[in-house]
Amino acid sequence: MLNSRRSFLKSLSRTALVLSLQDVLSLAVPAQEAQQGMSRPTYNAPARAPKMAASPILGTPLGYSFVDVATQSGLHAKTIYGDEHKNRFLLETTGCGVAFFDYDQDDWLDIFLVNGSRLSGFPKGQEPLSRMFKNNRDGTFTDVTIQTGLGRAGWGQGCCVGDYDNDGWNDLFVSYYGQNVLWKNNGNGTFTDVTEKAGLKQDRVRWNSGCAFLDYDKDGHLDLFVANYIDFDPKTAPLPESAGCAYKGIQVACGPPGLEGAKNILYRNNGNGTFTDVSKKSGILDTIGTYALSVVVADLDNDGWPDIYVANDSTAATFYRNQKDGTFKDEAIESGIAYSPDGKPQAGMGVSVGDFNRDGLLDIVKTNFAGDTDSLYENLGDGTFEDHTYLSGLGINTRYLGWGVGFFDPDNDGWPDILISNGHVYPEVDNSHIDAPYAQKKYLYRNLRNGQFEEVTKVAGNGINEPATARGCAFGDYDNDGDMDVVVNCVNTVPQLLRCDSTVQRNWIKLRLVGTKSNRTGIGARIVVTAQNQPGKPLQQLDELRSGGSYYSQNDLRMHFGLDVAPKAETVKITWPSGVEDTWKDLPANQLHVLEEGGKLLKSTPMGKKLTPAKA
C-alpha cells in the first residue's frame, strides 16, 4: 500500500498536472478529518513496534543519565508565552527556541533563551526579555542580557547563529511574530541591532518562525532563510467560542487549518553587510508549502549544494531542492518526505538530520502532533527517502506531542541516538478526559547499530522523565567534559539544562571550523571522520555544520564525534562550501581542534576534566 501510494504521488509530480493544496490534501486526508475546519485533525496513528533484530547492545545498561541542573546553574529566567491555563489564539501555543552559542569565543558554550509575551501585555519596563547567559566555566551561568545589549521584548520565536559579515564573530538572528532582529556581534561582548541597516526590516507584521543561515549560492557569504507560519491578526482571528474550534471535544484555539498560511522568505547576502529579498526570484514563493515551523538545511541529495527541508503544521512538509542556479524547487512528494507512511499530511513541529545508519547519507527525523508517530526518513542515496519510522522502532509512541529534536551521541559510541522534547500544545488538556498531559516527559532512543532504535527513556534519568512544557531544545557540551548536554526552552516556566553524566569511558573529538574562501563560520561544510576502534573495522561518520534546526533552535557550532575506544581520528576530511577539500591526519581524541580552510590546524585544546557538579 505504501509503495503504491508513493508511486502515485511521485507520478503526479512528474506530470504537467498542477494540483491545488486542497486537491493534494484530499488525496490523503479522510473526509471526516478534512471537515474539521479551523482546528487540527485528530491523529490516531496506531502504535507499532517492530521485532528487534539482533543487536550487541539491546537491553544492556545505558551508561549515562541526564539530570536537570538549570536552577542550580543560574538559569532562573522564566519563559513567558501566552496564558498558562487557557489560550484564545494559536499565537499563545508555539513557544520559543534556544541557542547554545559561544558568543565571546572562549570555547565555553553560553546560552541564549528566546522569550515571548502575553496578549494582556505588561507594564512598561516589566516586559519579558530574551536572555543571554554567560558560561562561568564552573558549571554555572551569569545573566548578561543587559550588558550585551540583547534585552528585547516581544513575541519571540526562533533563533539561529552565523557570521553574516565574515568578521570572525558569530552573529545572532531572532525571529518574531512582528519584526525580526539581526544582532551583530561587536566582538567585545556586546551586540548591535542592525536589522534596518542590513535590509531586513519587514513592511508588515509577519509570523516568522524557524530560521537558518546558509550559503545557498556558494559565494562565501551567509544568506538567510526565514520560515513563516500563518498570516495572523488578533483583531480578525476567530475565537474558539465563536468558531467552534475543538480538540477531542475540548474548546481550543483555532487553527492552523482554516487560517491563511504565510509564505517563507529567502534573503540573499549582498556581501556588503546587507541582504536582498529573493523569495520570488528563487522560487521559494511559488511552492504550496505553508504553516511552516522548523527548518533544517543540509545537502540531502549529495550534489554539493545545500537544500532546505521545512516541517509544516497540518500539511505536507516542504523540500526545497537547490537547483544550483539560484533557484529552488519543492520536491518533497517525489523524494518521499512529504507525508506519513500511509500518505497523510502530518502536523510537523521540529526537524533534524543525521546519518543514523552510518551509510554516508544524511537522514531526517521530524516530530509531529499528538496521536501520531514522529517520522524517520532513511536516505536512499538517489534523491529519494524511505519512511523508516516503524522499522526503526520510533513507531511505538503516539501519545505525546513532539517539538525539539536532534540526532546526537551521548555515549560517544559513534552511532547517533535521538532525543525528542515533548509538551502538549493546549494547556486545556490538563484536568480533562484526554490521556495526555500538558507537561510531558521526553523520548530518548538508543541507536542499536542495526537500523533500529531502543526506547530507553525510563532509564535515562530524571532530566528525561520529569514532565516539562518543552518547546525548543539545543545540543552541546556546555561543561566541556566530552559528553553532550541539552538545553530546553519551556513554556511559562524556567528552562531545563540537562547535564549528561556518563559512566562509560569512551573517546571523542570536537572540531571548530574557520572558513576562508567559504563563510567564516564554515556553515555547510561536510565532515567525514574516520577512526579505528577495532582491527579491520573502521568507524566512519559523516555530518555537516548547520545553522538552525531542532525546533526554532541552534546547536553548538563545534562538531562533536564519538570515537568509542579509538585513541585518535585517523583522518578528518572536510569538504568546504567553496569546494575546497582538506584532510587532517592523526588528530588526538578528547581534544577540541580548530581547523581552518586550506588545511591549517590552528590549535588543539585537551578537554574532558570533570567540573564540580551542581547538586540536582
Side-chain angles (χ1 to χ4, degrees):
M1 180 63 182
L2 169 61
N3 290 332
S4 62
R5 179 178 288 273
R6 177 168 295 167
S7 298
F8 173 60
L9 292 173
K10 287 181 181 180
S11 69
L12 289 179
S13 67
R14 288 192 290 263
T15 69
L17 177 62
V18 179
L19 300 177
S20 68
L21 177 60
Q22 187 59 46
D23 291 331
V24 173
L25 293 180
S26 67
L27 291 172
V29 183
Q32 63 268 27
E33 293 185 5
Q35 293 170 2
Q36 288 193 25
M38 307 192 77
S39 59
R40 284 186 178 88
T42 299
Y43 296 89
N44 291 296
R48 284 190 273 167
K51 283 187 177 181
M52 288 294 184
S55 164
I57 62 171
L58 178 63
T60 61
L62 196 57
Y64 64 89
S65 63
F66 287 92
V67 57
D68 183 6
V69 296
T71 302
Q72 299 88 338
S73 298
L75 300 184
H76 50 73
K78 180 178 179 178
T79 295
I80 303 297
Y81 211 91
D83 189 89
E84 297 192 21
H85 305 291
K86 183 176 177 60
N87 293 330
R88 301 173 66 204
F89 297 113
L90 204 60
L91 178 61
E92 302 176 80
T93 67
T94 53
C96 306
V98 58
F100 266 137
F101 174 29
D102 180 17
Y103 78 94
D104 52 3
Q105 288 193 13
D106 63 354
D107 281 320
W108 290 82
L109 289 179
D110 311 298
I111 294 175
F112 179 77
L113 287 155
V114 183
N115 214 330
S117 188
R118 288 198 175 121
L119 292 172
S120 56
F122 292 85
K124 187 173 179 58
Q126 298 181 30
E127 302 92 343
L129 302 177
S130 296
R131 295 196 172 270
M132 176 68 84
F133 287 88
K134 178 176 171 55
N135 194 324
N136 298 324
R137 311 183 194 181
D138 62 358
T140 68
F141 293 80
T142 298
D143 188 337
V144 293
T145 303
I146 303 305
Q147 299 95 305
T148 56
L150 290 169
R152 178 186 167 95
W155 286 97
Q157 302 290 305
C159 58
C160 52
V161 174
D163 185 359
Y164 82 95
D165 54 0
N166 285 334
D167 67 352
W169 294 89
N170 282 321
D171 310 295
L172 174 67
F173 181 84
V174 185
S175 62
Y176 282 84
Y177 167 69
Q179 175 59 54
N180 299 324
V181 179
L182 176 62
W183 295 103
K184 174 179 167 56
N185 191 332
N186 298 319
N188 60 1
T190 68
F191 291 79
T192 299
D193 181 350
V194 295
T195 310
E196 187 168 3
K197 181 180 178 181
L200 297 176
K201 201 78 174 179
Q202 295 176 326
D203 59 359
R204 60 188 176 89
V205 172
R206 292 180 180 270
W207 190 336
N208 305 280
S209 50
C211 64
F213 285 104
L214 73 160
D215 186 5
Y216 77 91
D217 53 2
K218 297 173 61 170
D219 66 353
H221 301 284
L222 285 177
D223 313 299
L224 178 64
F225 180 88
V226 184
N228 269 245
Y229 191 34
I230 61 175
D231 286 335
F232 175 80
D233 184 346
K235 296 178 181 178
T236 59
L239 292 171
E241 55 269 24
S242 60
C245 299
Y247 170 72
K248 294 188 175 182
I250 300 175
Q251 191 176 84
V252 297
C254 297
L259 302 179
E260 186 68 28
K263 290 294 184 179
N264 303 324
I265 307 171
L266 179 65
Y267 296 101
R268 183 181 184 275
N269 193 324
N270 299 319
N272 60 1
T274 68
F275 293 82
T276 298
D277 187 337
V278 293
S279 307
K280 178 65 176 178
K281 182 179 179 181
S282 65
I284 296 294
L285 286 182
D286 295 333
T287 67
I288 62 173
T290 190
Y291 302 152
L293 287 174
S294 299
V295 54
V296 69
V297 177
D299 180 11
L300 293 172
D301 56 2
N302 291 316
D303 66 354
W305 293 76
D307 309 301
I308 305 169
Y309 184 76
V310 184
N312 295 324
D313 190 357
S314 301
T315 188
T318 305
F319 175 36
Y320 295 108
R321 193 166 184 174
N322 197 321
Q323 302 299 299
K324 312 176 192 178
D325 59 0
T327 67
F328 291 84
K329 181 182 178 183
D330 180 15
E331 298 186 3
I333 294 177
E334 51 265 57
S335 295
I337 47 180
Y339 299 116
S340 70
D342 54 355
K344 293 181 181 179
Q346 297 172 290
M349 304 292 171
V351 62
S352 179
V353 299
D355 183 9
F356 80 89
N357 53 2
R358 293 224 327 249
D359 62 354
L361 302 167
L362 291 174
D363 311 298
I364 301 171
V365 61
K366 178 169 68 76
T367 58
N368 296 308
F369 201 78
D372 195 2
T373 67
D374 298 307
S375 300
L376 181 64
Y377 297 107
E378 180 186 3
N379 195 328
L380 301 181
D382 60 356
T384 68
F385 293 73
E386 190 69 54
D387 194 299
H388 207 68
T389 303
Y390 292 113
L391 291 174
S392 69
L394 266 66
I396 64 174
N397 289 311
T398 62
R399 183 184 177 203
Y400 291 156
L401 196 161
W403 299 89
V405 59
F407 287 107
F408 76 134
D409 187 7
D411 55 2
N412 286 323
D413 68 349
W415 292 85
D417 306 305
I418 297 174
L419 178 70
I420 295 174
S421 292
N422 299 307
H424 213 287
V425 72
Y426 305 125
E428 294 88 348
V429 298
D430 280 346
N431 303 313
S432 75
H433 66 279
I434 296 175
D435 183 29
Y438 189 47
Q440 301 175 351
K441 68 180 181 181
K442 295 165 183 60
Y443 292 142
L444 181 61
Y445 297 98
R446 174 167 61 171
N447 195 323
L448 295 178
R449 312 176 191 176
N450 61 357
Q452 295 180 319
F453 290 83
E454 174 190 15
E455 192 199 341
V456 292
T457 303
K458 291 182 179 179
V459 296
N462 291 337
I464 301 297
N465 285 275
E466 185 69 26
T469 53
R471 294 297 187 266
C473 72
F475 299 81
D477 182 6
Y478 82 90
D479 50 4
N480 282 342
D481 67 351
D483 45 40
M484 296 294 282
D485 312 298
V486 186
V487 61
V488 185
N489 205 346
C490 303
V491 173
N492 289 316
T493 188
V494 296
Q496 293 181 303
L497 180 60
L498 307 183
R499 187 187 67 212
C500 182
D501 292 341
S502 178
T503 59
V504 293
Q505 300 299 315
R506 292 194 179 107
N507 296 324
W508 49 269
I509 194 170
K510 291 188 193 297
L511 309 173
R512 178 158 62 83
L513 309 189
V514 179
T516 53
K517 292 182 179 180
S518 303
N519 68 86
R520 190 69 175 267
T521 312
I523 288 170
R526 175 167 284 208
I527 304 98
V528 177
V529 173
T530 304
Q532 198 79 26
N533 64 334
Q534 294 182 39
K537 291 185 177 181
L539 175 67
Q540 188 171 90
Q541 302 170 70
L542 172 145
D543 206 349
E544 289 183 358
L545 182 56
R546 290 178 292 277
S547 170
S550 181
Y551 176 78
Y552 284 10
S553 297
Q554 175 67 58
N555 297 328
D556 185 359
L557 287 169
R558 303 175 303 179
M559 305 296 290
H560 181 101
F561 296 89
L563 298 181
D564 201 357
V565 298
K568 64 182 178 180
E570 294 192 344
T571 61
V572 173
K573 179 181 178 181
I574 299 180
T575 303
W576 300 85
S578 65
V580 170
E581 292 187 358
D582 293 321
T583 300
W584 289 263
K585 294 184 177 181
D586 300 326
L587 294 181
N590 307 325
Q591 296 190 26
L592 167 68
H593 302 282
V594 183
L595 308 180
E596 185 178 74
E597 186 176 10
K600 188 174 182 180
L601 173 63
L602 296 183
K603 71 173 182 178
S604 297
T605 305
M607 291 182 174
K609 182 179 179 180
K610 291 285 184 180
L611 303 175
T612 301
K615 293 182 179 180

